[in-house]
Amino acid sequence: MGPRATLVPVRHVIALDVGGTGMKAALVGPAGELLHRARRATGRERGPDAVVEEILDFAAELRAHGSRQLGEPAAAAGVAVPGIVDEERGVAAYAANLGWRDVPLRELLAHRLGAPVALGHDVRTGGLAEGRIGAGRGADRFLFVPLGTGIAGAIGIGGRVEAGAHGFAGEVGHIVVRPGGTACPCGQRGCLERYASAAAVSEAWAAASGDPEVDAADCAKAVESGDPNAVRVWQHAVDALADGLVTALTLLDPRTLIIGGGLAEAGETLFTPLRDAVRHRVTFQKLPTIVPAALGDNAGCLGAGLLAWDLLDTTPTTPEEPT
């Protein structure tokens, strides 16, 4: 017989992280080992229905790869998606970048794969990975805050991430830090993400420098070289961020505060003044350990794998094979 007769089946799950323009995926073994990795475009330029089909096709390809190369299909799948996610019902409720509304993604994927599927919010899923196997490893309470185009958050409690009653827990970017300030697309004025996201710093530095092509990374470099305008812009963002984070830690009392996203790539140019600013603002609160995220843009995919394995721990029945 051929080589397939000697193939030892490897139990594994599918991990899929859906972004605004691309998808990252992996087949993940029981110890978290990445057995196969792949990327694919979402096809969003063809509309939301095409995106859903791309996700389903990609998942089916990953299942087929597992059957072919690992001796058996994936036992489960975990999928992280952006926007508003109803994790309990398995519905991708809304995503501005992808254009979809109320997509029963968990049901669609489970039918295509013939395996149980967990659906998660991208930031909360990335936070799960950072908390369990990344920068927050060993912390029973953590807050993960990525500073990107906007600012989101994931509240870690005892090895899981809290979604809230309606799926909005952790939206620290919409804490109002400057009442009556800059208008936010959410409808409020003065939201944290309008002052301390990577996008906000890029916008402020472009205005201050007179160069529309610069971004937050350029601002950080100018801070490091001692440019007083850059220092002013940077400190303005750090102060707003500290105000928002102190509000969050007053409510949540995390043991570890994990900062990720594009702005965190500035390293100690961000973390040294941020730790000082938070320290100066706390009174009775216990100061959490403030650390950079460890997993980078792999966090969502790794977290999706954790969701899938968690599902197997709580799913006693074997799903039917797809027809």
Side-chain angles (χ1 to χ4, degrees):
M1 295 186 65
R4 286 177 63 88
T6 61
L7 188 64
V8 178
V10 178
R11 196 164 190 245
H12 63 280
V13 298
I14 292 169
L16 183 56
D17 180 19
V18 179
T21 58
M23 298 182 278
K24 294 186 288 290
L27 299 182
V28 186
E33 63 273 32
L34 299 178
L35 304 170
H36 171 68
R37 300 176 75 170
R39 288 178 180 255
R40 186 163 170 171
T42 60
R44 66 173 181 172
E45 67 281 355
R46 301 196 308 276
D49 291 343
V51 173
V52 173
E53 275 307 312
E54 286 289 344
I55 292 170
L56 296 175
D57 288 348
F58 194 22
E61 282 182 17
L62 292 161
R63 181 186 189 277
H65 182 92
S67 295
R68 189 170 58 249
Q69 300 295 328
L70 301 175
E72 63 180 51
V79 185
V81 297
I84 300 169
V85 183
D86 186 334
E87 294 169 7
E88 193 171 322
R89 292 172 53 233
V91 173
Y94 174 70
N97 286 341
L98 298 173
W100 62 32
R101 286 184 182 272
D102 298 322
V103 179
L105 201 52
R106 182 176 66 196
E107 180 184 338
L108 293 170
L109 279 163
H111 179 74
R112 181 68 67 93
L113 296 173
V117 175
L119 184 68
H121 179 269
D122 56 354
V123 173
R124 288 195 291 270
T125 302
L128 179 69
E130 284 289 355
R132 278 205 212 163
I133 61 176
R137 186 194 295 242
D140 55 343
R141 298 285 193 281
F142 70 87
L143 177 62
F144 169 57
V145 181
L147 310 172
T149 304
I151 297 178
I155 303 164
I157 304 171
R160 64 179 184 84
V161 172
E162 173 60 43
H166 308 96
F168 299 124
E171 290 288 351
V172 297
H174 297 289
I175 292 173
V176 173
V177 293
R178 301 290 180 265
T182 304
C184 180
C186 81
Q188 299 185 115
R189 302 188 74 90
C191 288
L192 174 60
E193 70 174 40
R194 299 304 301 135
Y195 299 90
S197 62
V201 172
S202 296
E203 188 179 320
W205 181 230
S209 66
D211 182 351
E213 300 300 316
V214 297
D215 60 15
D218 297 316
C219 186
K221 289 173 189 168
V223 169
E224 289 157 14
S225 68
D227 184 314
N229 275 335
V231 170
R232 176 180 54 79
V233 167
W234 195 257
Q235 193 60 49
H236 184 62
V238 167
D239 286 340
L241 181 56
D243 287 339
L245 292 177
V246 169
T247 297
L249 69 88
T250 301
L251 289 170
L252 301 171
D253 187 26
R255 199 172 305 279
T256 304
L257 179 53
I258 306 165
I259 308 295
L263 216 57
E265 292 173 10
E268 286 307 309
T269 301
L270 174 67
F271 284 91
T272 296
L274 179 60
R275 290 185 184 112
D276 287 343
V278 172
R279 188 181 304 112
H280 289 145
R281 282 164 172 75
V282 297
T283 53
F284 67 91
Q285 305 96 330
K286 289 289 186 183
L287 194 66
T289 304
I290 302 175
V291 297
L295 303 176
D297 68 357
N298 291 319
C301 197
L302 292 168
L306 293 173
L307 287 178
W309 283 113
D310 284 356
L311 200 58
L312 292 174
D313 288 342
T314 58
T315 305
T317 57
T318 302
E320 295 179 359
E321 288 292 308
T323 55

